[in-house]
Amino acid sequence: MAATTFARGWVTLSMHHPSEASVAIYFCGPAGEILSYNQAAHLLWEGLPGSVPWCGPIRFLREDGSPIPDEDLPPLRAWRGVGVIPREDVLLEAPSGKRIRASVRAELLCNATGQAAGVSVRIMVADAGDTESTLSRLPLENPSPVIRLDGGTWLGFANPAAIKCLREWNVQPGQPAPTPLVKLAAEAAMLGVATDFEQTIGGKTYIIKVVPVSPGMHTNFYFTDITELTRLEHGLRYSQKRLEALALHSPVATYVKDSAGRYTQANPVACHYLGSTGEVVGLTDQQLLPPDIAERIRRIDLEVIQYGKSILTEEQVGHWRFLSSKFPLPDENGNMTQVGGISLEITERAEMATKLRESEERFRILAENAPVGIFLSSVEGQVLFVNRSWCAMAGLTADQALGSGWTSALHPEDRERALKDWHGSMVGEAPSTCEFRFLHADGTEVWTLGCATPLTDTKGTVTGFIGSCTDVTESRQADLLLQRQAARLRLLWEAAGIILSNERPDVMLQQLFDKIRPHLDLDAFFSFMVDPDGDGLSLFSCSGITDEQRASLGKLQYGQAICGTVALNREPMVVTCIQQSDDDISSLVRGYGVSVYACNPLMAGGELLGTLSFASRRRTQFDADEIEFLETISHYFTGAYVRWRLLEDLRATDRRKDEFLATLAHELRNPLAPIRAGLGVIKMTEGIPQELDVVRSAMERQMDQLVTLVNDLIDVSRITLGKMNLRLSRCRFHEILDSATEASRPGIDEAGHRLEISIPDHDIHLHADPHRLAQVISNLLNNAAKYTPRGGTIRVEAEVIDGETLAVRVKDTGKGIPAHMLERIFDMFAQVNPAPMDDGGLGIGLTLVRSLTRMHGGSVRAESAGPGEGSAFQLLLPILPAAPVTEWSNEEESMDKNSGTAGTAKRVLIVDDNADAATTLAMAVKLIGHKVATAENGLAALDLAPSFLPDVVLMDLGMPVMDGWEAARRMRAEPWSKSVHLVAVTGWGQDSDRERTKAAGFDHHIVKPTDLDTLRSLLGSAS
């Protein structure tokens, strides 16, 4: 049904026509607000309409008494497009609770332009009797003014509402009517019908229905306040003009189409895009556009009409592209059969959007293939995008990372710090940088440097964040490695300080362990050292086990357990996961609860000193750096141990030196005592021959002992300085042995020992210095005699091995040698248990034995079953094939010992700064039978010689004023010295000394003390 056109006259007629007196009538605005009502409606509501939309204070009920929902109320249904709601029977409930039966009719009202303006509601009460009984009260109770003019000019009646209007004219009932009302009454009487007039009274606008009741007698005036309706009408009219102006001047296309698709409205912009220079009203899209475009547009329009709701869509018209909003509109009957539209031309924007999509696609491709992780997030920090590199770093898929899912990849130790930094960046809307770790499901840690930068729009408002994540694992590991290396270096420096500040290796090891154990989670260490006999390892020091476990360690054999295996192979070994292993090699430390064990050999110059091991019960393995660190600590300790051992050797050498000096002093005093005593005896005996012979023999023996002692010291010095020269020749071993036993026989016989000799009968030839080799054997015999208790047995054995080597063994039944001294016995000043002072010995004899043997290309070793078991020394010497023997001679022994008495007396000049030495030597020369003169230095000798004219000059070398070398050179420059024999008599006896005296012009070189037989032979040979 069609909607009723809204007109003031119709409203007034409906409100006040007598035929409607029993019908409650009211009008609602667009929001359901009640704008106007008649007296019957006032009575029905039992007062004012209130603020309840569409129905006022009464309730609409179904005939069964159930409430009618708001959306089904007849006025609302009429407003929503139904148009006219025909008569419907309902049950009404007044505010007092009284219920009455009635029929309702609602009709949509439209203004002159066809736009919906309101709804009229008519309610016919079924019980009219009650209504008629109240009609007499209607004029008085009518809230709208009601006036009756009597006689056309006199105010006969005015209800309370009308009295308020009359006050505007300063009149009241019973007085003459205001002129405007008189004129209206006359005009209505002239027309003879009820007439509506619009009149403004007191600022309010009314529709006044003037009803002539009795021509010339009574005229009724019914006022309807249309002030609000007028305002709404003006507002609607103004609004419509504004909408028309807006559409006319809008930069976007606006239009309306009817159900057939014909344009009923279209602004100039719409006409332009539709390709029309004139009006398009009445035309369709099929008439204006290509068929395919028109068909697509028509399909959308019909969808809007069918479903009655707006649609936002993009449309193509020609080369233009539009974003269109289409919505349903009611027709003149209130039915939603029209389509309204607003279309925004977005061609350029669409092109920009296309380019933007292409740009975004390029960005996505670039981001997906970037070598660094890239992410986008909202301003709230929710991740919107991550690339493949980011996923690889985090160990998540892209879907898992979206939103806040990315936080699950953060390392638990870094999560709080990283999120705090991220939230701080979001709150401060500022760039941020943070270094953190991702933790993969497999335990892999990835160090990441994350950077985030805010994204802003054209107004500077932050719209989100873009950021990157760079894998810095390698650089982080490098930094950590540097830090760890720096820490290790510091630890090594501290370890070096411990090593340098300690002299006891066991204390040093414990302090080293205490220093490094917290850095490597160590629980124990073990140090084994090679036994003195070299057949195994003994525990040197350890920590981290009980005393009972320490006591049970004892000794390890090579190849036994981990340390023995390391000592055998001389290679480091690291054993891991020991508690989970059942191998035999780690069974020993497994019992100590150890889980990882690192053992290193202690090597010094190719010599195995022992092993050093570190262990942990809390760890199952050491990394490569830690293993290298422990190896370095082992090297440090090796150096410290070698240093300690050298210091111990030096201390021992120093002790032996002190012992040697003490012994040397004793050895020197021993022969000097009898010599001094002998001198006293000679003085006291006053030349008694028998006593003199005894004293002389004792003094000669002691002198021989002194000479031997000094000669040994000189030999050691020569060997130590590398200045010992052998006079090698082919010689017989038997003769060398005879010479050695002859020299040692007095000492052996004096100690009461038995000497046994067992050697081959055939000759054995050696390439040797017979004097030095005899010295070697003699030293061994003397050593055996010295350290064998009285009445012991000394045995010399010799045999040829494989026809190339002579093995000589000197065995005794003496004190024996401990195992740890078998090698050290040959060291300088070394003595197992120093012999009593009366036995003599400086601890250099065996040193000479080893040195001289090696110089002959042989070797010597000591053997003993231990203390009290005797000892044996074995010499191994290369031999020569049998051949004729060439005799050897010695300068001092080649002289005929008897020639001194056969020659004539000589003139002998003795030069020595030691007056006693010069005097005693002069006495000896005189006793031999020669004439003697003496001088105290070289210069004095040069002064005396030209007058004395000596045949022989016996001259010392080291003298003050002028030494012997310079005096000899000057003498040789004198004519009188051509036949003179110059003899150097000195304590210097090395080969270099002999060469120097020869170069100075000396004919002979004799080492002090001078043997009288040698002196007699030399003087006798001088011609």
Side-chain angles (χ1 to χ4, degrees):
M1 299 178 66
T4 302
T5 300
F6 181 69
R8 292 176 183 163
W10 186 88
V11 172
T12 302
L13 180 62
S14 298
M15 293 285 287
H16 299 287
H17 197 279
S19 62
E20 303 290 348
S22 62
V23 178
I25 302 174
Y26 63 90
F27 297 92
C28 299
E33 68 276 20
I34 298 176
L35 302 175
S36 181
Y37 54 91
N38 65 0
Q39 187 66 24
H42 181 78
L43 292 175
L44 184 64
W45 291 333
E46 298 179 347
L48 298 177
S51 60
V52 179
W54 304 112
C55 60
I58 61 173
R59 294 178 62 200
F60 283 74
L61 307 175
R62 294 190 176 95
E63 291 183 346
D64 60 1
S66 61
I68 297 176
D70 291 345
E71 59 271 15
D72 289 339
L73 291 174
L76 185 57
R77 286 161 52 202
W79 172 256
R80 287 181 174 174
V82 176
V84 177
I85 303 298
R87 177 175 175 177
E88 288 186 2
D89 293 333
V90 296
L91 189 64
L92 301 178
E93 183 178 271
S96 63
K98 178 181 178 181
R99 294 186 177 185
I100 57 176
R101 296 185 179 279
S103 59
V104 180
R105 173 186 172 87
E107 183 176 357
L108 180 67
L109 301 176
C110 296
N111 59 19
T113 61
Q115 291 180 329
V119 175
S120 70
V121 182
R122 296 186 184 192
I123 300 176
M124 283 73 72
V125 179
D127 190 359
D130 292 339
T131 303
E132 291 294 340
S133 65
T134 62
L135 288 180
S136 59
R137 302 196 312 270
L138 283 179
L140 292 174
E141 296 178 0
N142 196 334
S144 297
V146 177
I147 298 174
R148 186 182 76 241
L149 263 64
D150 295 334
T153 60
W154 193 262
L155 291 174
F157 172 80
N159 68 354
I163 292 174
K164 294 179 181 180
C165 293
L166 293 175
R167 288 174 183 168
E168 295 295 329
W169 290 301
N170 295 318
V171 296
Q172 57 184 354
Q175 293 180 351
T179 301
L181 294 184
V182 173
K183 289 181 178 180
L184 293 177
E187 187 175 346
M190 187 182 298
L191 295 174
V193 294
T195 306
D196 290 337
F197 298 95
E198 184 173 320
Q199 183 72 39
T200 299
I201 303 173
K204 291 187 177 182
T205 302
Y206 296 91
I207 293 293
I208 303 175
K209 180 176 285 294
V210 182
V211 181
V213 178
S214 298
M217 294 287 297
H218 304 290
T219 302
N220 292 337
F221 291 79
Y222 300 96
F223 291 72
T224 300
D225 188 351
I226 62 169
T227 304
E228 186 64 23
L229 290 177
T230 301
R231 187 186 65 78
L232 289 175
E233 186 178 63
H234 285 297
L236 287 173
R237 187 178 300 111
Y238 177 70
S239 177
Q240 184 169 353
K241 288 182 179 179
R242 283 191 301 175
L243 288 175
E244 290 175 353
L246 181 63
L248 180 64
H249 300 287
S250 174
V252 300
T254 61
Y255 46 87
V256 177
K257 304 177 189 177
D258 61 15
S259 58
R262 291 185 296 268
Y263 284 95
T264 58
Q265 290 182 19
N267 70 348
V269 176
C271 295
H272 168 71
Y273 288 128
L274 290 171
S276 173
T277 57
E279 187 63 50
V280 298
V281 173
L283 299 178
T284 64
D285 290 322
Q286 285 77 4
Q287 295 172 302
L288 298 169
L289 301 173
D292 55 337
I293 295 177
E295 180 61 30
R296 284 197 300 271
I297 294 175
R298 180 59 178 166
R299 190 165 54 248
I300 294 172
D301 293 346
L302 291 175
E303 185 177 344
V304 171
I305 295 173
Q306 179 180 357
Y307 294 106
K309 57 184 180 180
S310 61
I311 292 178
L312 187 66
T313 182
E314 286 192 17
E315 295 178 319
Q316 184 79 32
V317 177
H319 63 277
W320 290 297
R321 192 163 189 84
F322 298 89
L323 177 63
S324 299
S325 175
K326 296 191 174 184
F327 42 88
L329 290 175
D331 56 16
E332 62 276 6
N333 296 320
N335 299 318
M336 297 298 182
T337 59
Q338 297 191 45
V339 176
I342 300 174
S343 296
L344 175 65
E345 192 264 312
I346 58 169
T347 305
E348 183 177 353
R349 185 180 302 176
E351 292 176 353
M352 292 178 62
T354 301
K355 292 179 180 178
L356 179 60
R357 284 193 298 271
E358 293 174 352
S359 176
E360 289 177 347
E361 183 62 24
R362 287 194 297 270
F363 166 77
R364 186 175 295 275
I365 294 173
L366 178 64
E368 285 293 348
N369 294 278
V372 298
I374 295 176
F375 65 89
L376 289 172
S377 79
S378 66
V379 71
E380 296 83 12
Q382 298 295 302
V383 169
L384 306 175
F385 166 79
V386 290
N387 69 346
R388 282 195 294 266
S389 296
W390 190 98
C391 293
M393 289 182 205
L396 299 176
T397 65
D399 291 339
Q400 291 172 332
L402 296 181
S404 60
W406 65 278
T407 60
S408 64
L410 293 175
H411 195 290
E413 296 177 3
D414 300 344
R415 178 176 289 114
E416 182 178 355
R417 175 175 54 83
L419 291 178
K420 181 178 180 181
D421 187 84
W422 175 237
H423 292 155
S425 176
M426 288 188 294
V427 172
E429 297 183 347
S432 67
T433 301
C434 181
E435 193 170 282
F436 57 89
R437 287 170 292 174
F438 285 126
L439 181 62
H440 292 191
D442 61 0
T444 301
E445 294 183 2
V446 179
W447 277 99
T448 304
L449 178 62
C451 302
T453 301
L455 294 174
T456 57
D457 57 18
T458 56
K459 297 180 180 179
T461 302
V462 175
T463 59
F465 293 86
I466 185 171
S468 65
C469 289
T470 305
D471 188 341
V472 296
T473 303
E474 290 186 2
S475 62
R476 180 71 178 189
Q477 290 174 345
D479 290 342
L480 292 176
L481 179 60
L482 289 175
Q483 294 174 8
R484 185 163 56 179
Q485 288 176 343
R488 294 285 164 80
L489 285 175
R490 286 194 299 271
L491 194 57
L492 287 175
W493 276 111
E494 294 172 358
I498 292 174
I499 289 172
L500 293 175
S501 61
N502 278 278
E503 293 188 358
R504 289 183 53 188
D506 54 342
V507 176
M508 177 197 311
L509 265 180
Q510 184 62 53
Q511 291 183 0
L512 275 176
F513 178 68
D514 292 340
K515 173 62 68 175
I516 68 176
R517 68 185 302 175
H519 298 274
L520 279 74
D521 293 332
L522 299 177
D523 296 296
F525 82 88
F526 303 85
S527 177
F528 288 86
M529 290 298 170
V530 175
D531 291 335
D533 55 6
D535 62 348
L537 301 172
S538 295
L539 182 65
F540 177 72
S541 180
C542 70
S543 179
I545 59 174
T546 64
D547 293 339
E548 292 78 10
Q549 291 171 335
R550 182 196 300 264
S552 66
L553 272 178
K555 183 175 180 179
L556 293 179
Q557 300 298 322
Y558 290 114
Q560 180 185 357
I562 298 175
C563 293
T565 302
V566 169
L568 178 63
N569 299 327
R570 301 191 176 190
E571 293 290 338
M573 178 181 291
V574 179
V575 183
T576 61
C577 303
I578 294 176
Q579 295 302 316
Q580 290 76 40
S581 171
D582 57 358
D583 57 337
D584 294 337
I585 194 172
S586 58
S587 60
L588 179 62
V589 296
R590 188 182 306 118
Y592 302 152
V594 169
S595 294
V596 58
Y597 193 89
C599 181
N600 290 285
L602 304 179
M603 303 292 298
E607 177 189 0
L608 176 68
L609 303 180
T611 64
L612 179 58
S613 310
F614 296 95
S616 175
R617 298 184 178 95
R618 292 167 288 174
R619 306 179 57 177
T620 58
Q621 63 182 4
F622 295 126
D623 62 32
D625 290 339
E626 292 168 335
I627 293 172
E628 182 181 1
F629 176 79
L630 293 178
E631 289 179 356
T632 302
I633 291 294
S634 299
H635 293 327
Y636 276 19
F637 176 70
T638 300
Y641 184 79
V642 170
R643 170 177 167 270
W644 170 79
R645 197 167 68 171
L646 289 174
L647 288 174
E648 288 297 304
D649 290 342
L650 288 174
R651 292 188 183 100
T653 301
D654 189 57
R655 287 193 301 271
R656 290 196 298 270
K657 179 199 69 176
D658 293 341
E659 294 169 359
F660 163 75
L661 292 176
T663 304
L664 176 61
H666 175 75
E667 291 295 319
L668 290 174
R669 291 189 184 101
N670 275 345
L672 290 174
I675 290 174
R676 184 172 185 175
L679 291 173
V681 170
I682 292 172
K683 182 177 179 180
M684 290 186 294
T685 56
E686 297 180 352
I688 300 175
Q690 184 179 356
E691 284 79 358
L692 288 176
D693 289 342
V694 174
V695 171
R696 183 176 61 251
S697 297
M699 292 177 68
E700 287 176 350
R701 284 195 304 273
Q702 297 304 318
M703 182 61 67
D704 290 340
Q705 185 175 336
L706 276 175
V707 170
T708 300
L709 180 64
V710 172
N711 286 339
D712 283 350
L713 289 172
I714 291 173
D715 288 342
V716 169
S717 175
R718 288 175 178 175
I719 293 172
T720 302
L721 297 174
K723 296 181 178 181
M724 170 69 78
N725 293 321
L726 298 180
R727 297 179 181 180
L728 299 174
S729 64
R730 188 181 184 89
C731 55
R732 292 191 301 272
F733 169 69
H734 294 71
E735 295 178 353
I736 295 172
L737 181 59
D738 290 343
S739 177
T741 54
E742 181 182 354
S744 301
R745 176 67 69 174
I748 295 174
D749 293 341
E750 184 180 355
H753 299 319
R754 182 174 64 256
L755 177 62
E756 299 177 354
I757 299 176
S758 175
I759 61 175
D761 296 332
H762 61 274
D763 285 343
I764 301 172
H765 296 274
L766 305 172
H767 185 64
D769 183 330
H771 175 71
R772 294 301 183 186
L773 199 53
Q775 183 182 355
V776 168
I777 298 175
S778 177
N779 280 358
L780 292 177
L781 290 171
N782 293 339
N783 198 67
K786 188 184 302 181
Y787 291 100
T788 299
R790 187 173 186 82
T793 299
I794 300 173
R795 181 176 178 81
V796 179
E797 300 174 348
E799 64 175 329
V800 177
I801 302 174
D802 298 331
E804 297 180 350
T805 303
L806 173 64
V808 181
R809 290 172 61 85
V810 178
K811 303 170 62 177
D812 62 59
T813 58
K815 298 179 179 179
I817 304 172
H820 70 278
M821 289 295 295
L822 289 175
E823 284 294 330
R824 296 183 58 192
I825 196 68
F826 295 101
D827 294 344
M828 182 77 73
F829 313 134
Q831 293 179 334
V832 176
N833 291 309
M837 290 298 184
D838 292 341
D839 290 344
L842 300 176
I844 60 175
L846 291 180
T847 302
L848 281 173
V849 168
R850 182 175 62 181
S851 299
L852 291 172
T853 301
R854 288 177 176 175
M855 292 178 69
H856 281 85
S859 63
V860 60
R861 66 186 178 91
E863 300 173 355
S864 176
E869 299 296 329
S871 60
F873 289 84
Q874 176 174 282
L875 299 175
L876 296 178
L877 298 167
I879 63 175
L880 294 176
V885 178
T886 300
E887 295 293 340
W888 58 275
S889 63
N890 182 284
E891 178 183 0
E892 296 179 0
E893 297 181 2
S894 64
M895 301 177 183
D896 183 359
K897 293 184 179 181
N898 297 320
S899 61
T901 59
T904 60
K906 304 291 192 304
R907 300 172 67 83
V908 179
L909 175 60
I910 297 175
V911 185
D912 199 325
D913 61 324
N914 188 326
D916 290 340
T919 300
T920 56
L921 183 58
M923 292 175 61
V925 173
K926 287 179 181 180
L927 290 173
I928 294 173
H930 302 287
K931 186 176 182 180
V932 179
T934 61
E936 61 184 0
N937 55 58
L939 185 59
L942 286 173
D943 292 339
L944 180 60
S947 59
F948 183 65
L949 295 178
D951 298 309
V952 177
V953 177
L954 301 178
M955 186 159 50
D956 188 20
L957 295 178
M959 297 180 294
V961 183
M962 182 181 291
D963 59 38
W965 291 288
E966 181 62 24
R969 280 192 291 270
R970 293 192 182 187
M971 285 183 181
R972 286 305 184 195
E974 299 293 333
W976 52 264
S977 69
K978 291 183 179 179
S979 59
V980 176
H981 281 260
L982 294 182
V983 180
V985 182
T986 179
W988 306 101
Q990 298 186 21
D991 291 342
S992 59
D993 300 324
R994 296 177 184 274
E995 293 174 359
R996 187 179 179 189
T997 55
K998 184 177 180 180
F1002 285 95
D1003 297 300
H1004 301 283
H1005 187 111
I1006 297 176
V1007 178
K1008 293 179 181 180
T1010 306
D1011 181 78
L1012 289 180
D1013 291 336
T1014 301
L1015 183 61
R1016 182 183 294 110
S1017 176
L1018 187 147
L1019 293 175
S1021 65
S1023 58

